[in-house]
Amino acid sequence: MNINYALISRFFVLAFFIVTACSSGEKASPKQPPNIIFLLTDDQRWNAMGAMGNSIIKTPNMDELADNGVLFTNTHVTTSICCCSRASILSGQYVSRHGINGFSTPFSEEAVQETYPLLLKKNGYSIGFIGKYGIGNPAQFPDTLYDYWACDAKHQPNYENKDENGNFIHYTDVVNKRIMDFLDSYGKEERPFCLSVSFKAPHCEDGDPRQFIYAERYKDLYADVEIPLPETADSSFYNFFPEDFRNPVKNGTTFLNEGRKRWELRFPNEEKYQESVRSYYRLITGVDDVIGNLRQKLEETGQAANTVIIFMGDNGFYLGEHGLAGKWYAHRESVKVPFFIYDPRFDDQFRGQKVNEFALNIDVAPTILALAGVDIPEGVQGVNALDLVTKNASERKEFFYEHKVDIPTIPKSEAVISQKFKYINYPELSTPFEELYDLERDPLEKTNLAGNEVYMNVLNEYRQKLATLAEKAK
């Protein structure tokens, strides 16, 4: 009979007595609650990791953790932009509920207390946050609520920095140093810790023509590798979008779609495409090296055997597919992300498992709370992802996607995604525009069926699903 992992995570298992202890009447103590480290990369798409089938990128540390943990192979975000997704990760809620739908909106004082780090702090954990917080203006960051806070007072940190001696240091290495500092300070305490690490990598450097700025030591990595062009990189896939998607109009001003604007910086020709993707991969390998250092440090501090490591990307990333760069829309490249949970305490029921059920970014908070044995607030909309292994959670047949951030160059969109179909609607375009894909027959989303009479019943069904799920998300 399989043991329900959720129950194990909610109630500490009593240790077995040795024979002499039993005879002497000594009492056993509960197991120590696990330390939890949550690692978040910025713009890492689902297949930019070896364990997810990429034969080019080098991510041995991610791969080892994924191969010996639970790898969720069908993970999506509910909004593909950093501020919204990060708020969903911390709260376990859709944007429609937590309300953070732009870069300047912070959590309220009440809402931040319901995020997973603060809930763990109330239950005896030391909590730390390192890297890019990304929610609200820097003056409103909740730095005083954490035991350890090492986030830069800006929305997006710079890759190029100087250390205390005036020497150049890459931001990924800055994050590495902060991790080591946290573990030196809190990795030897008796009480458990929860550390949230938010990398900038592999996000581009906005406003810099170099875009993907990696540390110099990675310059030769992937230099001789030829990276295949995506099938949907042809210009016909971009021209398929209507005029007011490609050139949105706001208050009488016409803009170039932000995804196309960034495509022109990164992928306008074969040479630039190769340079951009290689550099994107270099940044991810830099993160992987930090994960290796992190694991070594856990061994040195004696915490490795009781530290859970959870890894996710905050949203996906177009590498030229559909003629786009960036994210924002509901195509696979934009919304599908890597996600795994490594727990050294796993038995064979969990170790090495691959889960193809839908997991979402809103599942991170309830999963962490369950691992720590902390009650999950009623307002949380995600589930404990580890229940998907034992099939004790209701399987999601579909989920709601929303992107309503008010940016003139990014048309708003919403979607319903199931295992079989994907329906995307753009509610504010002057000409109605919808996309419908049969994902079983067309996983690359090449053929829009929204205008196909054969699929009219499916289209109407998914229109109704969208209305129902949008209301439920509130």
Side-chain angles (χ1 to χ4, degrees), residues 342-359:
Y342 170 80
D343 187 336
R345 307 167 304 164
F346 276 157
D347 59 21
D348 290 341
Q349 183 183 15
F350 294 94
R351 188 179 296 111
Q353 295 297 312
K354 293 184 178 180
V355 178
N356 194 46
E357 305 298 331
F358 283 129

Side-chain angles (χ1 to χ4, degrees), residues 47-294:
N47 61 355
M49 189 171 79
M52 287 295 290
N54 190 319
S55 61
I56 295 174
I57 197 166
K58 298 182 186 303
T59 54
N61 295 295
M62 295 179 196
D63 299 343
E64 183 181 354
L65 290 170
D67 290 342
N68 289 284
V70 177
L71 176 62
F72 298 86
T73 60
N74 201 11
T75 303
H76 294 70
V77 296
T78 53
T79 302
S80 187
I81 191 169
C82 58
C83 55
C84 301
S85 182
R86 288 159 189 267
S88 291
I89 287 168
L90 283 164
S91 67
Q93 298 176 343
Y94 280 96
V95 170
S96 289
R97 181 167 293 183
H98 64 61
I100 295 175
N101 202 27
F103 292 98
S104 61
T105 305
F107 281 116
S108 67
E109 290 184 11
E110 297 77 18
V112 77
Q113 292 293 336
E114 294 293 295
T115 58
Y116 75 79
L118 274 298
L119 290 169
L120 263 59
K121 184 176 182 180
K122 293 173 187 174
N123 284 272
Y125 273 73
S126 298
I127 60 171
F129 206 111
I130 293 171
K132 172 184 171 179
Y133 187 67
I135 301 169
N137 291 319
Q140 300 165 306
F141 285 171
D143 51 334
T144 59
L145 302 180
Y146 282 75
D147 299 298
Y148 182 95
W149 180 268
C151 297
D152 297 78
K154 54 178 63 178
H155 281 298
Q156 190 65 264
N158 298 322
Y159 276 126
E160 297 173 307
N161 300 273
K162 290 185 178 180
D163 64 16
E164 60 276 8
N165 298 316
N167 299 315
F168 173 84
I169 183 169
H170 191 271
Y171 191 70
T172 301
D173 296 327
V174 171
V175 171
N176 182 81
K177 289 184 68 174
R178 293 172 178 174
I179 293 171
M180 300 302 116
D181 179 64
F182 175 89
L183 293 176
D184 279 334
S185 300
Y186 293 91
K188 300 172 185 177
E189 289 190 351
E190 289 188 6
R191 64 175 178 164
F193 65 78
C194 177
L195 173 63
S196 302
V197 180
S198 181
F199 294 90
K200 174 187 173 77
H203 195 287
C204 69
E205 186 76 22
D206 290 326
D208 193 304
R210 294 171 295 173
Q211 292 291 282
F212 303 100
I213 302 175
Y214 49 85
E216 180 69 15
R217 63 184 179 275
Y218 296 104
K219 66 182 178 64
D220 294 328
L221 188 61
Y222 310 117
D224 299 325
V225 175
E226 190 75 11
I227 300 170
L229 277 170
E231 288 186 40
T232 56
D234 186 87
S235 60
S236 63
F237 288 95
Y238 182 69
N239 293 330
F240 143 83
F241 293 110
E243 172 64 22
D244 52 353
F245 175 92
R246 289 180 283 125
N247 297 287
V249 179
K250 185 79 170 181
N251 298 326
T253 301
T254 301
F255 299 90
L256 178 63
N257 186 292
E258 190 68 31
R260 191 62 173 179
K261 180 180 178 181
R262 299 190 186 200
W263 178 91
E264 291 180 348
L265 280 172
R266 302 169 194 167
F267 313 121
N269 54 56
E270 171 71 14
E271 181 181 2
K272 191 65 177 176
Y273 171 81
Q274 296 295 330
E275 176 189 334
S276 293
V277 179
R278 289 167 183 160
S279 299
Y280 175 76
Y281 283 2
R282 288 166 184 145
L283 284 167
I284 294 170
T285 297
V287 171
D288 190 79
D289 288 343
V290 174
I291 294 173
N293 296 338
L294 162 65

Side-chain angles (χ1 to χ4, degrees), residues 334-388:
S334 170
V335 299
K336 194 171 181 181
V337 295
F339 176 39
F340 62 76
I341 300 171
Y342 170 80
D343 187 336
R345 307 167 304 164
F346 276 157
D347 59 21
D348 290 341
Q349 183 183 15
F350 294 94
R351 188 179 296 111
Q353 295 297 312
K354 293 184 178 180
V355 178
N356 194 46
E357 305 298 331
F358 283 129
L360 302 175
N361 57 343
I362 59 174
D363 296 339
V364 170
T367 302
I368 290 176
L369 294 173
L371 282 163
V374 175
D375 289 338
I376 299 170
E378 290 185 4
V380 167
Q381 294 167 297
V383 301
N384 176 6
L386 289 171
D387 284 345
L388 300 175

